[in-house]
Amino acid sequence: MAGFRNGRGRDNRPPQHPQQHRPQQAPYGYNAPPPAYPQQQWQQQPPQQQPYGEPEYFGDPGQHHPHQDPVTANNPGHTQMFQVDDPYAHAAPYQAAPVPAGSRLGWKALLSGIVLRPADTFLRMRDHAVWGPALIVTFLYGLLAIFGFDQAREEVLNATLSSIVPYVLMTGAGFVLGGLILGAVTHTLARQLGGDGAWQPTVGLSMLIMSLTDAPRLLFALFLGGENGLVQIIGWLTWLAAGALFTLMVSRSHDLPWPKALGASAIQLVALLSLIKLGTL
């Protein structure tokens, strides 16, 4: 009985604890693969096949791509995308000289600018029509131009008032029409020589140059007569000044070098010389 009390007679083996799960050993002669760790799972994955066509590192340079892990950026199947910046992709094309900042010039600033600041004035007004000042100034110049010719002035002074008014008005309208035609010829020649300016500013500015440059000669001719020696000298000087202003205007308005600009103004200069200057000399 004592044996039973002491636990003898029963299973005398010590109490066994639940068996711990041990890794199963491979049979002899076989090498089991090492356990896979999370950081090495990429080695067990087969390389991904890229479809035929555009490589994976080409793409839209402007498309935003998420940030890639630098560790796996260059691993198989994780090729990092890149782009090459073209230094000439955003190169600006050739442009002409910038137009001075500011609004359109009024008629007073325009008339004074042609005489005092011709280069800046022509460049600033190259895209603006000047029909108002051009037509008014040319018409007033035509009204007075008839008194610069000696023979025409005598006929007007000896005629009656009823016949003088239509004659003077027709002369003013004739100068406006002649200025329009000559300005259009200058613009056409400038475009044929490679100019890129608009026809309205070119014609209007040419009319103003024709009228303003001949105003000093006409002023002296009204009192001294067209055949006076001083009037003749002033006429030649103002004609040269008109040639310089025509050349500068065409050069600024059409982006042409001065030889081509002078060539575009040649017909208008010859016409002014034969119709106005030579008619008074």
Side-chain angles (χ1 to χ4, degrees):
M1 298 297 292
F4 290 98
R5 293 189 186 101
N6 294 331
R8 298 174 182 176
R10 298 180 181 179
D11 191 0
N12 294 328
R13 291 177 299 177
Q16 297 180 357
H17 298 282
Q19 296 182 356
Q20 297 180 354
H21 295 282
R22 296 181 180 179
Q24 184 177 3
Q25 296 181 356
Y28 180 78
Y30 294 93
N31 294 326
Y37 295 96
Q39 65 271 16
Q40 296 180 352
Q41 292 181 358
W42 60 270
Q43 296 181 357
Q44 300 177 1
Q45 297 178 357
Q48 299 179 0
Q49 298 294 332
Q50 297 293 333
Y52 292 98
E54 184 179 6
E56 60 176 336
Y57 47 82
F58 287 98
D60 187 5
Q63 184 179 2
H64 177 72
H65 301 282
H67 178 71
Q68 297 181 349
D69 188 1
V71 177
T72 61
N74 295 320
N75 290 334
H78 300 279
T79 306
Q80 186 177 6
M81 299 183 66
F82 66 93
Q83 65 181 10
V84 179
D85 295 333
D86 187 3
Y88 301 99
H90 305 287
Y94 170 77
Q95 297 180 355
V99 180
S103 59
R104 178 179 179 178
L105 296 176
W107 67 273
K108 293 182 179 179
L110 175 62
L111 298 181
S112 62
I114 292 177
V115 178
L116 302 177
R117 300 174 302 276
D120 293 339
T121 301
F122 295 147
L123 186 60
R124 186 168 178 176
M125 299 298 293
R126 58 170 294 170
D127 296 326
H128 300 285
V130 292
W131 290 125
L135 295 176
I136 294 174
V137 172
T138 305
F139 182 74
L140 295 177
Y141 166 74
L143 296 179
L144 299 176
I146 191 174
F147 297 97
F149 301 94
D150 294 339
Q151 184 178 357
R153 181 176 58 180
E154 293 178 1
E155 293 177 357
V156 170
L157 294 178
N158 295 329
T160 60
L161 182 62
S162 59
S163 61
I164 292 176
V165 175
Y167 188 72
V168 173
L169 293 178
M170 291 178 61
T171 305
F175 271 86
V176 172
L177 181 60
L180 290 172
I181 296 175
L182 293 177
V185 171
T186 300
H187 169 74
T188 302
L189 292 177
R191 293 302 295 264
Q192 292 180 355
L193 293 175
D196 58 356
W199 73 275
Q200 297 184 16
T202 304
V203 175
L205 291 174
S206 66
M207 295 173 66
L208 289 174
I209 294 173
M210 178 189 70
S211 304
L212 294 177
T213 53
D214 195 52
R217 182 202 64 84
L218 181 59
L219 180 62
F220 283 93
L222 293 176
F223 301 97
L224 301 178
E227 296 181 357
N228 184 272
L230 179 61
V231 175
Q232 296 178 7
I233 295 175
I234 295 175
W236 284 105
L237 293 177
T238 55
W239 181 77
L240 294 176
L245 290 178
F246 277 125
T247 303
L248 185 59
M249 184 270 294
V250 175
S251 176
R252 292 293 187 271
S253 299
H254 289 268
D255 294 328
L256 290 175
W258 73 265
K260 291 185 178 182
L262 179 60
S265 307
I267 294 179
Q268 189 166 8
L269 288 173
V270 172
L272 294 178
L273 180 63
S274 60
L275 298 176
I276 299 177
K277 301 298 189 296
L278 296 180
T280 61
L281 295 179

